[in-house]
Amino acid sequence: MQSSVISSASRFRTEVFPRRGDLYRHLAQNGQQPKALVISCADSRVIPEEIMQSGPGEIFVCRNAGNIVPPTAQFTGGVSASIEYAVVVLGVRDIVICGHSDCGAMKALLQPDSLKTMPNVQAWLRHADAARCVVCESYPDLESKAAARALAMENVALQLNHLRTHASVAARLARGEMTLHGWFFDLETGGLLALDGKEERFVEVAEGAEMPVAVTAAERRVA
């Protein structure tokens, strides 16, 4: 028996697509021009397009377990390629790394034994191990749920640092042509926290208020 999710694909073609046909034809003929790259967790409960209330062609999304960005010198793969393509070809000027509450990847990092039967997941999550060390040493008294929440936020900050090692991102930052954002989405409340680079902490995003940013667009030359 087909799942309802699979069956829904046919309803998209017959019911949804006709209402948005003009938009899809425009995108097919003129290509995509997304304004931002969003790197989020692959968790099925986290939908960047829904969180940002965006439509087709508006954001370029890369999803993986733990919203991880491997440092460019250590790993070449789909995430690195997506970043390079989004920056160099699509010309995005904003990149968002979005973590979330109740993240399975973060909980697994805090329980290493749970990864013994998943060697690929274990290897992938090593790119977040520095965040785990921060939580273990700086938040030693947190119970498991609070520790996983803190780890999800520390992981966003870590992955933003990794993101800056990518040549295309580093070049755009130095030219003042890019802004980096770190977000944390709360599944239970729908709340969104943003990393404030000046305060070096996550703050609640208030309706109508200016969105805090992790790294602002500012031209930089150190030589």
Side-chain angles (χ1 to χ4, degrees), residues 39-48 61-68 98-100 103-105:
I39 301 170
S40 76
C41 187
D43 192 302
S44 62
R45 300 167 295 177
V46 179
I47 307 173
V61 179
C62 176
R63 301 177 67 169
N64 65 74
N67 43 273
I68 282 171
C98 184
H100 66 98
C103 181

Side-chain angles (χ1 to χ4, degrees), residues 41-48 50-51 63 98-104 107 145 149 152-153 184-193:
C41 187
D43 192 302
S44 62
R45 300 167 295 177
V46 179
I47 307 173
E50 189 163 274
I51 295 171
R63 301 177 67 169
C98 184
H100 66 98
S101 63
D102 195 43
C103 181
K107 290 190 285 187
K145 184 175 181 180
R149 184 181 179 90
M153 294 184 191
F184 176 86
F185 176 63
D186 193 308
L187 287 169
E188 292 187 24
T189 67
L192 186 66
L193 302 178

Side-chain angles (χ1 to χ4, degrees), residues 37 39-40 62 64-72 74-75 79-80 83 95-97 124 127-128 155-156 158-166 169:
L37 164 64
I39 301 170
S40 76
C62 176
N64 65 74
N67 43 273
I68 282 171
V69 178
T72 187
Q74 294 183 15
F75 190 87
V79 176
S80 300
I83 293 168
I95 300 180
V96 178
I97 296 181
W124 178 250
H127 297 299
N155 181 54
V156 169
L158 173 65
Q159 304 312 323
L160 282 167
N161 287 336
H162 290 174
L163 181 61
R164 299 179 71 168
T165 69
H166 289 251
V169 175

Side-chain angles (χ1 to χ4, degrees), residues 130-153:
R132 181 192 62 79
C133 291
V134 169
V135 170
C136 289
E137 295 193 15
S138 299
Y139 306 78
D141 300 322
L142 293 182
E143 50 85 23
S144 58
K145 184 175 181 180
R149 184 181 179 90
L151 178 54
M153 294 184 191

Side-chain angles (χ1 to χ4, degrees), residues 101-122:
S101 63
D102 195 43
C103 181
M106 298 302 102
K107 290 190 285 187
L109 267 174
L110 293 171
Q111 300 173 342
D113 288 345
S114 68
L115 296 170
K116 287 183 177 178
T117 59
M118 296 181 286
N120 291 301
V121 176
Q122 187 176 47

